[in-house]
Amino acid sequence: MDTIIESLEQFFSYTAFANMTLGHIIMILIGITFIYMAIKKEWEPLLLIPIGFGIIIGNIPLPAGMQIGIYEEGSVLNILYQGVLKGWYPPLIFLGIGAMTDFSSLISQPKLMLIGAAAQIGIFGAYIIALHMGFTPVEAGAIGIIGGADGPTAIFLSSRLAPHLMGAIAVSAYSYMALVPVIQRPIMLLLTTRKERTIRMAPPRPVSQKEKIIFPIVGLLLTAFIVPSGLPLLGMLFFGNLLKESGVTRRLAETARGPMIDVVTILIGLTVGCSTQANVFLTSASIKIFALGLVSFIIATFCGVLFVKFMNLFLKEGRKINPLIGNAGVSAVPDSARVSEVVGREFDKSNHLLMHAMAPNVAGVIGSAVAAGILLAFLG
């Protein structure tokens, strides 16, 4: 009888019930909340469902030494997590983004690239604030990149600068990407007048196929020569775009923007979620990172909208830019551009801003990769 009881006790000690803590319960509830928001609100479901389910998986408490947990070297989850830790996944994501992105709006309206650049101020603003909050320079750089609203870039940079903060940084970046409509709309309304919201912009000029082919080559040379440290992201972004626009590599482009990016998105979301184990994630540093991420995102949106208003001071009547597209300077493609369209149509149903907003939006993708390269060069 004693043997049976001892066996049952030993079995129970290996179950999750025996190792459960309040922290694990909190994180599992957070994971369920992510899944709820993805399904009910349709906020970035392709990201929040893998991350949410990963949070649940990562917070099933296990006894040490079972070679199952994501932080146990040699486990399956740990091997998959190497793509995050070593920065393999983000360049592959950028390859897919490049293969699905049409840069026509940016090529036809190059001045709108400045809006994407202005929005990156949020990254450096958060960096300065993080330094004053006690984070080291490398930690502050990794945290600041959240303001670019670019999950893969945040993962890439944090894997190089502050891997111990990667879980909080990645979840924060993807959370704010999902909350783009909630965060940006009030800021846009606060900073603009009704008259500004109804500004009509001239249609973008047609862009030739030759221009589309030349753009990724010139874009790579200009950005990579200035910031070589951003090459893994910039190189893959422009390479993917060349596959799309060349017209002779359609099959490769379809693979990059279809099955490949889907597989990598699943792996990056799931493993990032799994990395948020309660004992690692529930810290005061994580709370600060979420707060700083929000501040960074707000600063980026403020700077994008205000920069358009500044540009309008020098533009003639009839050529002014609708400041509602300023929010699209963050690189949450295409969600922030859609916010510009939706808010614009609230005040003028026939005024379509999406095509114009895509220019600073794709410029923001390039800008966040350049900003990551700058931070990596100075802090790495």
Side-chain angles (χ1 to χ4, degrees), residues 41 68 79 84 130 137 206 245 288 315 330 350 371:
K41 304 291 186 180
I68 294 176
I79 292 169
V84 175
E245 302 297 356
K288 291 179 182 178
L315 296 174
V330 300
S350 61

Side-chain angles (χ1 to χ4, degrees), residues 211-254:
E211 288 177 288
K212 291 181 180 181
I213 293 172
I214 292 172
F215 178 79
I217 299 171
V218 173
L220 173 63
L221 292 175
L222 287 176
T223 55
F225 268 77
I226 296 172
V227 191
S229 50
L231 190 59
L233 300 179
L234 293 166
M236 295 298 263
L237 175 72
F238 288 119
F239 174 50
N241 189 245
L242 183 60
L243 292 178
K244 173 183 180 291
E245 302 297 356
S246 68
V248 294
T249 52
R250 185 172 291 107
R251 199 170 76 190
L252 298 181
E254 288 176 354

Side-chain angles (χ1 to χ4, degrees), residues 173-289:
Y174 280 121
S175 297
Y176 293 129
M177 284 175 66
L179 292 171
V180 160
V182 178
I183 298 172
Q184 290 196 317
R185 184 179 179 278
I187 298 172
M188 294 160 68
L189 296 180
L190 174 67
L191 298 178
T192 57
T193 65
R194 179 173 287 272
K195 182 180 178 181
E196 288 175 325
R197 295 170 204 150
T198 56
I199 291 175
R200 285 178 174 266
M201 299 172 64
R205 69 170 178 81
V207 176
S208 68
Q209 188 65 23
K210 184 183 292 186
E211 288 177 288
K212 291 181 180 181
I213 293 172
I214 292 172
F215 178 79
I217 299 171
V218 173
L220 173 63
L221 292 175
L222 287 176
T223 55
F225 268 77
I226 296 172
V227 191
S229 50
L231 190 59
L233 300 179
L234 293 166
M236 295 298 263
L237 175 72
F238 288 119
F239 174 50
N241 189 245
L242 183 60
L243 292 178
K244 173 183 180 291
E245 302 297 356
S246 68
V248 294
T249 52
R250 185 172 291 107
R251 199 170 76 190
L252 298 181
E254 288 176 354
T255 299
R257 65 173 172 254
M260 191 203 71
I261 197 171
D262 288 343
V263 169
V264 178
T265 298
I266 290 170
L267 292 176
I268 202 170
L270 192 70
T271 53
V272 163
C274 288
S275 71
T276 61
Q277 289 183 2
N279 61 325
V280 176
F281 190 81
L282 290 179
T283 63
S284 60
S286 294
I287 296 172
K288 291 179 182 178
I289 287 169

